[in-house]
Amino acid sequence: MKRTTTITITPLLHFASSLFFVVLLKSVLADSSYQEKKLLDLQSFQLKHLHHNALATCFSHKSSRKEDSTRLEIKHKDFCFKKSTDPYLRLKQRLILDTKQVQFLQSQIRKSISTKTQKQSDTRIPITSGTRLQILNYVITMNLGGKNMTVIVDTGSDLTWVQCQPCKSCYTQNEPLYNPTTSVTYRPIPCNSSDCRSFQDASGNPGPCGYRQSGCNYLVNYGDGSYTRGELGKERVILGKAMINKFVFGCGRSNKGLFGGASGLMGLGNSALSFVTQTSNQFGGVFSYCLPSSDLGDSGSLNLGGNYSMYKNVTPISYTKMVHSPGLSTFYMLNLTGIRVGGVGLNSTSFGQNGVLLDSGTVITRLPPSVYTALKAEFVKQFSGFPEAPAFSILDTCFNLSTYKEVNIPTVQMAFEGNAELNVHVNGIFYFVKPDASQICLAFASLMYEDEIAIIGNYQQQNLRVVYDTKQFVVGFAEEECSFD
């Protein structure tokens, strides 16, 4: 006969067992943030920073093409041009300029909102701060009229321009100046042409042609007195193996500003003048990028066109709708609905209120004061026990991790309308002030006022595939370890 054993649980014992299980479950859930951390390899960063040779790897014309899409190598500007200043002072100056850039952006946004009821072109080139052009970080190489030009890429600008010969007043650049007189594909845009009138209206430079004025002049002023001035023309642009004929660009004869040795700028904004709109028939109004780490000399990619098979994302792309904002059509605005730190959601009434600007030109992400305070408090709570370090410029939460080879740090995730998520890469959570990790800071900062527009900077966009589809009016995010090879 089979022997069986029956265990009888009395009501009191059953209650005690259930209570123990509930307490244990709560304990596990309370400590679940350990699953929401990422490993930061400090030793690897230090070694890579020590042995990196910037100028030996920066200038590259790497590209690839598949069907109707083109892929270009993208680099951080710091590793393209010689740096004469002390690294510590250079980083401090970058954050000072970044702050001025954010302040000017906020003033322009307020001005645009206050005048949005006025009848004006919705595709006007914004008057952005000249300090912006000193901190723009990423460059690509394009071929203009048969000459290679290294240009800064910026999602917050529209007009693409380069310095031209003869130049009345030009800053120093690394490559020879573009000379339209030696190009067989260059065509000037006459002052009285329909092209000139339409682009003058779009650029905010309307007006009748002056005496003996034959070319279509343009002028873009920047907030600190910097500017680019010249005439609009049409030229053949080659990006990898993709050819764009009759591309309208600015031929700058008088330019002022610290452009870091680049030949000019490529505008990836969202207006009629931008590169994205002018090439929409060829690339479908879609572009994406994967920005490499800013301090390690790595490569990333700028993809033109919507061929997703060229991406190297390791997570699915999640999309969110762009927010239409009258008077701010150049910029890419999104609806930020929440932020999680180490898996813990932050509480703030600012989420979903004023929108957030996704910008490749701003460095450090800026958040409304209530959101930043909550993020800082939760991060410090989860990252406790580590030695503190002095604040650095706008970054007020810093640590000394010089004695550690690696540390686990809380994750940071941003949530957007439509359940889209931006998972900040481990390299985008801390800002390395000193390469030996004796001073690294939480790479987020607070805005001055609660009703200002939050900005997601390029530091938090590192090692992500960020997709812009201007036809579907959506932006997508996915995790990707940036490289070109």
Side-chain angles (χ1 to χ4, degrees), residues 64-113:
S64 61
R65 182 171 174 82
K66 191 172 184 180
E67 297 176 358
D68 58 350
S69 295
T70 293
R71 184 166 174 258
L72 305 171
E73 185 176 28
I74 191 170
K75 285 278 191 178
H76 193 276
K77 181 164 64 70
D78 275 1
F79 290 84
C80 295
F81 311 115
K82 293 181 180 180
K83 304 181 287 290
S84 58
T85 58
D86 176 82
Y88 185 86
L89 295 177
R90 186 175 68 252
L91 291 178
K92 195 165 188 175
Q93 179 69 4
R94 178 187 294 171
L95 294 185
I96 291 173
L97 295 175
D98 198 43
T99 299
K100 291 181 179 180
Q101 147 72 4
V102 169
Q103 291 171 347
F104 195 86
L105 270 179
Q106 296 296 337
S107 69
Q108 290 302 107
I109 290 171
R110 287 193 296 270
K111 187 182 298 183
S112 297
I113 292 174

Side-chain angles (χ1 to χ4, degrees), residues 319-430:
Y319 288 94
T320 183
K321 292 181 179 179
M322 298 181 196
V323 176
H324 177 68
S325 183
L328 299 175
S329 64
T330 290
F331 301 109
Y332 298 97
M333 302 288 292
L334 309 175
N335 184 16
L336 180 67
T337 58
I339 296 178
R340 296 193 302 276
V341 176
V344 178
L346 305 181
N347 293 320
S348 174
T349 57
S350 290
F351 291 131
Q353 295 298 313
N354 299 318
V356 59
L357 193 159
L358 184 64
D359 187 29
S360 68
T362 301
V363 180
I364 298 296
T365 291
R366 301 306 206 283
L367 300 170
S370 66
V371 178
Y372 174 72
T373 299
L375 182 147
K376 173 184 174 180
E378 186 60 39
F379 190 92
V380 170
K381 176 182 176 182
Q382 296 186 28
F383 195 68
S384 60
F386 293 94
E388 297 181 358
F392 181 72
S393 186
I394 58 173
L395 308 178
D396 61 10
T397 306
C398 304
F399 303 90
N400 180 354
L401 303 180
S402 58
T403 60
Y404 297 85
K405 292 183 178 180
E406 58 185 28
V407 292
N408 285 305
I409 63 176
T411 59
V412 178
Q413 298 166 312
M414 301 182 188
F416 300 90
E417 181 182 354
N419 296 319
E421 284 191 347
L422 187 161
N423 295 310
V424 180
H425 189 269
V426 65
N427 290 343
I429 296 176
F430 275 138

Side-chain angles (χ1 to χ4, degrees), residues 2 50 88 137 153 189 307 310 323 346 374 414 434 484:
K2 187 176 181 180
L50 180 65
Y88 185 86
N137 297 136
V153 294
I189 296 179
N307 192 324
M310 299 184 76
V323 176
L346 305 181
M414 301 182 188
K434 296 183 179 179
F484 187 81

Side-chain angles (χ1 to χ4, degrees), residues 190-482:
C191 183
N192 287 314
S193 67
S194 58
D195 281 338
C196 184
R197 286 192 294 271
S198 63
F199 278 103
Q200 281 182 331
D201 290 341
S203 66
N205 293 299
C209 296
Y211 178 65
R212 290 184 178 178
Q213 180 179 326
S214 59
C216 182
N217 291 346
Y218 79 89
L219 169 63
V220 179
N221 286 307
Y222 299 93
D224 67 343
S226 300
Y227 58 82
T228 175
R229 178 189 292 126
E231 68 271 0
L232 296 178
K234 294 183 179 181
E235 180 59 283
R236 175 181 294 171
V237 174
I238 299 177
L239 296 162
K241 296 181 180 179
M243 182 181 297
I244 302 103
N245 291 310
K246 299 180 180 180
F247 178 77
V248 177
F249 75 107
C251 195
R253 307 288 187 177
S254 181
N255 314 288
K256 178 183 177 182
L258 299 179
F259 298 88
S263 298
L265 181 143
M266 175 183 282
L268 294 176
N270 196 24
S271 84
L273 274 179
S274 77
F275 178 90
V276 181
T277 305
Q278 288 195 61
T279 61
S280 61
N281 289 336
Q282 186 159 357
F283 297 123
V286 179
F287 73 96
S288 70
Y289 53 67
C290 190
L291 301 179
S293 297
S294 60
D295 297 313
L296 300 179
D298 297 332
S299 293
S301 63
L302 171 67
N303 288 46
L304 305 171
N307 192 324
Y308 290 12
S309 66
M310 299 184 76
Y311 303 164
K312 296 183 178 181
N313 52 297
V314 295
T315 60
I317 301 173
S318 59
Y319 288 94
T320 183
K321 292 181 179 179
M322 298 181 196
V323 176
H324 177 68
S325 183
L328 299 175
S329 64
T330 290
F331 301 109
Y332 298 97
M333 302 288 292
L334 309 175
N335 184 16
L336 180 67
T337 58
I339 296 178
R340 296 193 302 276
V341 176
V344 178
L346 305 181
N347 293 320
S348 174
T349 57
S350 290
F351 291 131
Q353 295 298 313
N354 299 318
V356 59
L357 193 159
L358 184 64
D359 187 29
S360 68
T362 301
V363 180
I364 298 296
T365 291
R366 301 306 206 283
L367 300 170
S370 66
V371 178
Y372 174 72
T373 299
L375 182 147
K376 173 184 174 180
E378 186 60 39
F379 190 92
V380 170
K381 176 182 176 182
Q382 296 186 28
F383 195 68
S384 60
F386 293 94
E388 297 181 358
F392 181 72
S393 186
I394 58 173
L395 308 178
D396 61 10
T397 306
C398 304
F399 303 90
N400 180 354
L401 303 180
S402 58
T403 60
Y404 297 85
K405 292 183 178 180
E406 58 185 28
V407 292
N408 285 305
I409 63 176
T411 59
V412 178
Q413 298 166 312
M414 301 182 188
F416 300 90
E417 181 182 354
N419 296 319
E421 284 191 347
L422 187 161
N423 295 310
V424 180
H425 189 269
V426 65
N427 290 343
I429 296 176
F430 275 138
Y431 191 86
F432 278 75
V433 178
K434 296 183 179 179
D436 65 356
S438 62
Q439 189 180 15
I440 67 173
C441 305
L442 183 62
F444 295 82
S446 176
L447 292 165
M448 290 289 292
Y449 305 104
E450 198 68 27
D451 61 350
E452 290 183 310
I453 302 296
I455 303 173
I456 300 176
N458 59 51
Y459 204 79
Q460 282 66 47
Q461 297 180 53
Q462 297 177 78
N463 289 302
L464 293 173
R465 175 59 56 181
V466 184
V467 183
Y468 298 77
D469 189 331
T470 61
K471 293 292 182 68
Q472 299 298 320
F473 211 59
V474 295
V475 172
F477 304 100
E479 296 180 38
E480 179 175 332
E481 289 293 333
C482 292

